[in-house]
Amino acid sequence: YRKVVQPKEQSLIGEDKQRDFLRLWSLKESYVKAEGKGLRIPMKDYYFEKENECYFVNYGGQKQAWTFNIEETLVEGYYISVCGMETEVSWNVK
């Protein structure tokens, strides 16, 4: 937990720690995959923040231009996050 959740991300973790941790992990995984570097990006080098129900990532002290969408209702108990460079990121599930 401490290796993943950065101090500035503590506000994203509420009473349901497991649910909130999994949501955050999903966002982090989508970001490092979109960057194409995977876990080679040290987790201490970036953190997520939430503004107006939107998530964004701060890497190296700068807000990045990535857009995130997180879905919690497609499969019960799972979180799916998509990270992209478009203004709005969405998907169709069939």
Side-chain angles (χ1 to χ4, degrees):
Y1 178 89
R2 290 185 185 125
K3 292 182 180 181
V4 176
V5 180
Q6 301 306 310
K8 292 185 177 184
E9 294 171 323
Q10 288 297 323
S11 64
L12 301 178
I13 307 296
E15 288 186 24
D16 191 338
K17 290 186 184 339
Q18 181 176 354
R19 180 200 66 205
D20 295 345
F21 174 81
L22 291 174
R23 181 185 295 132
L24 180 59
W25 178 263
S26 176
L27 288 166
K28 287 180 175 251
E29 188 175 16
S30 71
Y31 171 65
V32 296
K33 286 181 177 180
E35 280 285 2
K37 298 178 183 174
L39 295 176
R40 291 177 292 179
I41 300 175
M43 290 192 182
K44 65 179 177 59
D45 290 355
Y46 68 96
Y47 59 90
F48 276 84
E49 293 181 293
K50 189 174 181 182
E51 284 183 6
N52 302 322
E53 300 305 310
C54 295
Y55 292 94
F56 69 89
V57 66
N58 188 307
Y59 181 53
Q62 294 188 322
K63 182 178 175 181
Q64 301 298 297
W66 295 100
T67 301
F68 295 90
N69 189 352
I70 185 165
E71 180 60 54
E72 302 176 31
T73 59
L74 295 175
V75 181
E76 187 174 337
Y78 291 88
Y79 299 95
I80 301 168
S81 293
V82 176
C83 175
M85 293 298 276
E86 303 297 324
T87 304
E88 186 175 313
V89 179
S90 61
W91 57 73
N92 292 320
V93 178
K94 296 181 181 192

